[in-house]
Amino acid sequence: MADDWTRAMVADRLELAAEVMKSLPPVRPQGYFNAWPDYASSFGDQVGQEPRLKKPLPSPRMMTEADEAMLWLRWVDKDIGQILWARSNRWPWKKVCWHYAISRPTARRRYEYGLAVIALRLNGKTVQRKRSMEFVIGQTV
C-alpha cells in the first residue's frame, strides 16, 4: 500500500495549512472602512523604492486541504493538537517548551505521537489508548 500516510506527509500538510491561514487577509469588523484620503506620492517619493508585491490568495484546493488538515487536530488531545499547530506555524522548540511548560524531549515525543495518531487514522487504523506513545509512533514511518 504505497498510498499510506506517513508522519512526514501529515507534518507537511499541517505546515501547508498554517501557511494558507497566514496568507488570508485579516479579519476585520463589519463596516470597517478608512476615512483618510489616499496619499498622493510624487515620482521623487517613489525613486529607489522596491515595489510592494501582494501575495496571491490561496487556491480553492489549497483552502480545502487546509480545512481538512485543521480538522485532523480534533483526533488528538488538546495539548498535543496545540503543539502540532505551534510547530506547523514554525515555532522553535524552545518557544514551544516555554509556552507549554514541558521539556524538549516531552514536546518532541508528543509531537511525534500526534503525527502518528493522525497518520494511523488517515490510514484507516484504530489507535489503542492502552498502548504507549513509543508503540504508536513505531507503527508509522
Side-chain angles (χ1 to χ4, degrees):
M1 296 193 337
D3 297 356
D4 284 349
W5 285 85
T6 63
R7 292 192 312 262
M9 292 168 64
V10 172
D12 289 342
R13 183 67 73 87
L14 287 173
E15 286 179 12
L16 175 72
E19 289 297 321
V20 166
M21 292 303 145
K22 282 182 189 176
S23 67
L24 292 176
V27 178
R28 294 184 175 153
Q30 188 174 7
Y32 176 82
F33 67 96
N34 186 359
W36 285 87
D38 288 335
Y39 178 74
S41 58
S42 66
F43 177 75
D45 293 336
Q46 296 179 358
V47 171
Q49 293 184 5
E50 294 292 325
R52 293 185 197 140
L53 301 176
K54 291 184 180 179
K55 281 187 176 179
L57 292 176
S59 67
R61 180 178 180 192
M62 290 174 66
M63 287 294 301
T64 303
E65 290 177 356
D67 289 341
E68 289 174 359
M70 289 175 60
L71 291 176
W72 297 343
L73 297 175
R74 295 185 306 171
W75 296 339
V76 295
D77 294 336
K78 181 181 175 184
D79 58 339
I80 295 175
Q82 289 175 345
I83 292 171
L84 286 171
W85 190 246
R87 286 298 294 166
S88 297
N89 282 309
R90 299 186 180 178
W91 281 22
W93 281 113
K94 188 171 188 173
K95 185 176 179 182
V96 171
C97 296
W98 276 88
H99 190 267
Y100 298 106
I102 54 178
S103 67
R104 167 88 189 257
T106 301
R108 180 73 180 180
R109 187 173 36 246
R110 290 180 185 175
Y111 175 74
E112 291 294 330
Y113 175 74
L115 292 177
V117 167
I118 292 172
L120 287 173
R121 290 282 304 262
L122 289 172
N123 291 334
K125 299 177 183 175
T126 58
V127 180
Q128 300 171 352
R129 289 281 193 187
K130 301 286 183 180
R131 291 295 193 163
S132 67
M133 286 186 176
E134 288 80 16
F135 179 82
V136 174
I137 293 170
Q139 287 185 321
T140 59
V141 178

